[in-house]
Amino acid sequence: MIKVGVVGIGKIGEDHLNRLQNRVSGVEVVAVCDIVPNKAKEALKRLNLEHIKDYADYKDLVKDSEVELVVCTANNEAHAEIALEALNNGKYVFVEKPLSMTAEECQAIMEAEQKNGKRMVQVGFMRRYDPGYQQLKKYIVEGEIGAPLMMHCRHFNTYLSQPKDYESERAIVETFIHEIEIVHWLLDEEYKNVKVYFPKRADITKEYSKGLQDPQVIVIETESGVNVVTEVFVNAYGYDIHCDIVGELGMAQLPAVPSVTLSKAAKRSTDILTDWKERFIAAYDVEFQDIADRLNSGRELNGPCSWDGYVAAVTADASIKSQKTGETEEIKLMEKPEFYKNFK
Ligand code: ISE
């Protein structure tokens, strides 16, 4: 039984707490912590988990000798600090995406992990555990569509579902970061450069206080020359995720979320999700179950690792630079440490 401490009990933190305690087997949440007084307490009450220890300071949670795995769902800016504290105390750590806000912090996390001599970090990029993306990966690996040549992704969030101070950079670091990671995993090759285009701005952006550019079109070129075009639109008609891969022999497309067809008033329609949390709920369950099973049986973690978090951070930085310069920006990675070379 793996003993878990959850740091950060916001929306996704409470979700993970519930998932770990009620849906994943072989884990037990023994402690929680939130920087906002009473926030964790209220969540524990809602979930009927008042017996769980509630720390005011995450450092005390990390030091708790019962805690073996720290689940970090605090705000993005705090990820690196919490991950480092966990690693320096020899604890496994699951960090929600992004691993951290800067590539330098990701490097520090990798260094601290390596000092432990084994894989200790998993990043919450849950899409790898979604059956649709797994099928896409299988088709690529088995050569079903031949060598991939180009990709078209869409990451659409529901109209006005983001806070009014949402910024163009956040659309990269919080939203597009998923495509950065999943495409890197699907194609299994490094990126060369990125260019961000600003198409005609949606009128609704007038309501955003920090000059949000929405939508954005981002083009990544990989080392072998695959072109990956992603449309990011955080004020779209619903939560809609697309991923099409065109290869030399065929095309593979991520399926839409199944929904009953309603025929009425001489029309046929199907629903589109509106809340992103519903789209990958099952993928999160599978990811945490995999972590629990591996740790309980002494096997190594094998999901998105800190190197993947670093690649995502460098690519996000280059994308943000391109937003500002309007130019194609290079994606320059450090030499991959030996330690990470065998991880897929
Ligand atoms: C959000 O910030 C996330 O983290 C979700 O994983 C993503 O699907 C969503 O589109 C983002 O806005």
Side-chain angles (χ1 to χ4, degrees):
M1 187 67 86
I2 290 294
K3 304 264 170 59
V4 181
V6 183
V7 181
I9 310 292
K11 269 206 268 171
I12 190 74
E14 184 168 339
D15 253 40
H16 286 341
L17 170 60
N18 183 29
R19 154 175 302 114
L20 286 162
Q21 201 64 2
N22 297 317
R23 292 211 292 277
V24 179
S25 60
V27 293
E28 186 192 346
V29 180
V30 293
V32 295
C33 167
D34 197 284
I35 195 169
V36 180
N38 286 326
K39 199 162 179 192
K41 197 168 163 216
E42 283 157 19
L44 291 176
K45 204 166 165 194
R46 273 194 293 277
L47 297 170
N48 240 332
L49 297 172
E50 281 155 297
H51 62 280
I52 291 178
K53 284 173 267 186
D54 177 8
Y55 286 105
D57 185 341
Y58 81 87
K59 290 190 177 162
D60 294 329
L61 175 145
V62 169
K63 290 206 170 73
D64 184 323
S65 60
E66 260 203 303
V67 172
E68 297 162 276
L69 166 68
V70 175
V71 168
C72 170
T73 48
N75 62 45
N76 294 343
E77 287 72 17
H79 284 183
E81 186 186 317
I82 296 165
L84 286 170
E85 184 73 14
L87 292 168
N88 293 336
N89 281 279
K91 307 285 168 97
Y92 289 100
V93 58
F94 169 94
V95 188
E96 255 308 332
K97 47 78 8 193
L99 177 56
S100 110
M101 295 302 280
T102 68
E104 291 71 31
E105 283 175 350
C106 292
Q107 280 174 259
I109 292 171
M110 287 193 280
E111 278 159 27
E113 180 176 35
Q114 289 174 71
K115 283 196 193 129
N116 281 279
K118 61 175 175 187
R119 271 199 66 165
M120 304 290 286
V121 180
Q122 179 142 335
V123 189
F125 287 120
M126 70 304 200
R127 289 190 184 186
R128 289 192 194 189
Y129 296 87
D130 173 75
Y133 280 110
Q134 286 186 348
Q135 184 76 25
L136 291 182
K137 175 83 177 165
K138 192 163 177 277
Y139 281 157
I140 294 177
V141 171
E142 292 176 354
E144 205 60 48
I145 56 165
L149 306 172
M150 49 189 177
M151 288 182 68
H152 184 190
C153 309
R154 287 203 177 97
H155 191 145
F156 286 2
N157 278 86
T158 307
Y159 193 72
L160 289 180
S161 60
Q162 306 294 350
K164 288 287 176 59
D165 62 351
Y166 205 74
E167 297 157 292
S168 310
E169 292 88 339
R170 279 176 74 182
I172 300 290
V173 177
E174 292 180 10
T175 301
F176 177 55
I177 198 118
H178 281 290
E179 275 69 29
I180 296 178
E181 205 293 310
I182 200 72
V183 171
H184 186 248
W185 176 70
L186 286 168
L187 297 179
D188 196 19
E189 61 165 312
E190 298 311 340
Y191 295 146
K192 200 152 75 185
N193 56 52
V194 60
K195 181 164 179 176
V196 180
Y197 294 84
F198 287 170
K200 182 170 174 181
R201 205 176 197 144
D203 208 41
I204 189 68
T205 54
K206 283 190 198 131
E207 293 193 17
Y208 287 76
S209 62
K210 293 189 175 161
L212 172 68
Q213 167 62 48
D214 195 35
Q216 302 184 45
V217 177
I218 303 135
V219 183
I220 285 183
E221 186 186 352
T222 71
E223 286 292 354
S224 77
V226 180
N227 277 205
V228 183
V229 180
T230 304
E231 295 164 19
V232 172
F233 189 14
V234 303
N235 283 287
Y237 48 81
Y239 187 72
D240 207 8
I241 303 296
H242 291 237
C243 180
D244 300 349
I245 311 169
V246 177
E248 293 195 29
L249 306 177
M251 173 164 74
Q253 296 178 282
L254 188 73
V257 178
S259 144
V260 167
T261 306
L262 176 70
S263 300
K264 195 175 168 187
K267 283 198 178 9
R268 269 195 239 290
S269 63
T270 54
D271 283 351
I272 295 176
L273 293 177
T274 53
D275 183 352
W276 64 265
K277 285 220 263 56
E278 288 170 24
R279 171 66 177 85
F280 293 108
I281 225 163
Y284 267 131
D285 290 354
V286 179
E287 177 165 20
F288 275 111
Q289 192 59 64
D290 182 59
I291 294 174
D293 292 347
R294 284 174 180 280
L295 296 184
N296 276 319
S297 60
R299 284 176 299 143
E300 203 164 60
L301 297 172
N302 90 333
C305 66
S306 40
W307 172 259
D308 299 312
Y310 165 78
V311 171
V314 173
T315 309
D317 282 350
S319 308
I320 290 169
K321 190 166 173 206
S322 174
Q323 285 180 328
K324 300 199 166 100
T325 62
E327 302 293 331
T328 298
E329 298 296 341
E330 243 190 289
I331 298 169
K332 280 186 258 164
L333 300 179
M334 65 184 275
E335 169 112 37
K336 192 169 185 178
E338 238 3 87
F339 185 83
Y340 294 101
K341 283 202 176 141
N342 297 323
F343 302 168
K344 279 282 172 226

